[in-house]
Amino acid sequence: MASKRHERTTARRVALQVLYTAEIKGVSAAQILAEGVFPSEEGPLSQYAQDLVRGVEQNRIVIDGSLKAAAENWSLGRMPIVDRSILRLAAYEIMFVEDVPTSVAINEAVELAKDFGGEDDSPRFVNGVLGRIAKDIDDGAAAAPAGDDPAQPLVL
């Protein structure tokens, strides 16, 4: 299990590099993947890293909407690019990856912010925004009455 955690930590770091590079270059992350041109001291892109990058890109509208709602008094454009990339990556895991506990996604994002963050208070900012997203998801799940989940068929 420790090996899997380490592999995923490395995958997150590489995925962050791809997302950041794409934003700096003004191209899609898929283009960076297709060209195979990404800065990585970690080695080749693992399948999980590729899944993260594609997942962030495919769900970016929903992710950015959640980030805008949770980042009080901060527009996405005002955030340092690296912080925005970290937030998108972690928000994707929180919202769409079922086998990653929310606490793990947040902790990993905070560690990324400590290592790469754009500002001194990046780890605290990342933690706060992701904590609000997690709370909103929990509040929404608790508020939904049984049987009202459109993904679940009603049994009569």
Side-chain angles (χ1 to χ4, degrees), residues 18-19 22-23 27-35 53-54 57 60:
V18 172
L19 294 170
E23 190 134 353
V27 299
S28 74
Q31 183 176 341
I32 299 289
L33 290 178
E35 293 173 356
V53 170
R54 287 186 181 104
E57 191 163 79
R60 189 158 162 185

Side-chain angles (χ1 to χ4, degrees), residues 59 62-63 66-67 90-98 133 137:
N59 296 286
V62 174
I63 291 167
S66 292
L67 292 175
Y92 169 73
E93 282 193 300
I94 291 168
M95 298 166 67
F96 298 100
V97 182
E98 291 183 18
I133 289 173
I137 290 171

Side-chain angles (χ1 to χ4, degrees), residues 2-142:
S3 176
K4 184 175 183 179
R5 273 195 296 257
H6 177 68
E7 288 172 15
R8 287 198 168 182
T9 297
T10 301
R12 288 179 187 98
R13 292 175 70 89
V14 176
L16 172 62
Q17 293 170 9
V18 172
L19 294 170
Y20 178 81
T21 300
E23 190 134 353
I24 290 291
K25 289 185 170 189
V27 299
S28 74
Q31 183 176 341
I32 299 289
L33 290 178
E35 293 173 356
V37 195
F38 49 90
S40 178
E41 298 171 1
E42 313 293 341
L45 225 59
S46 70
Q47 186 60 50
Y48 191 67
Q50 292 178 48
D51 291 346
L52 289 173
V53 170
R54 287 186 181 104
V56 168
E57 191 163 79
Q58 291 168 355
N59 296 286
R60 189 158 162 185
I61 292 171
V62 174
I63 291 167
D64 283 358
S66 292
L67 292 175
K68 287 175 190 173
E72 299 168 352
N73 302 317
W74 279 85
S75 69
L76 289 177
R78 195 171 146 222
M79 294 176 195
I81 293 171
V82 69
D83 292 353
R84 186 169 55 237
S85 298
I86 291 167
L87 287 168
R88 285 176 174 152
L89 182 63
Y92 169 73
E93 282 193 300
I94 291 168
M95 298 166 67
F96 298 100
V97 182
E98 291 183 18
D99 70 336
V100 174
T102 298
S103 61
V104 170
I106 293 172
N107 288 339
E108 290 279 329
V110 169
E111 290 303 314
L112 287 171
K114 287 177 184 176
D115 291 344
F116 301 109
E119 304 290 333
D120 288 341
D121 62 346
S122 288
R124 191 175 53 143
F125 176 70
V126 164
N127 187 53
V129 171
L130 295 174
R132 282 189 286 281
I133 289 173
K135 183 180 181 316
D136 289 347
I137 290 171
D138 286 346
D139 289 350

